[in-house]
Amino acid sequence: MRITVGVIVILFFLIACFPVMAQPCGTPGLPPCDPGDPVPITGIEFLIGLGVLFGVKKIRQNKSSR
């Protein structure tokens, strides 16, 4: 039963992401969106930073256990 609930939840999120990704660029009556807007920190930078921190933590743990 757990697998069925997990599959349903995953399918729900996969299906629910499509309407969220729709952007109203060029729609009459709405302001135009500029894809060149700079974003200071996006999600990928957070993931890279967390990965580096996690790697440093693991290296320190390995050195201290020797």
Side-chain angles (χ1 to χ4, degrees):
M1 180 157 169
R2 280 186 184 171
I3 295 173
T4 306
V5 172
V7 170
I8 290 172
V9 169
I10 290 171
L11 287 175
F12 170 76
F13 282 114
L14 286 174
I15 292 170
C17 73
F18 290 115
V20 174
M21 290 174 27
Q23 298 295 322
C25 290
T27 304
L30 294 175
C33 58
D34 183 16
D37 288 338
V39 177
I41 298 177
T42 61
I44 192 71
E45 283 88 3
F46 281 122
L47 289 174
I48 291 170
L50 289 173
V52 168
L53 290 175
F54 185 71
V56 169
K57 177 186 170 192
K58 287 293 185 180
I59 290 172
R60 287 186 178 182
Q61 283 178 351
N62 286 340
K63 284 186 179 181
S64 67
S65 67
R66 290 182 184 182

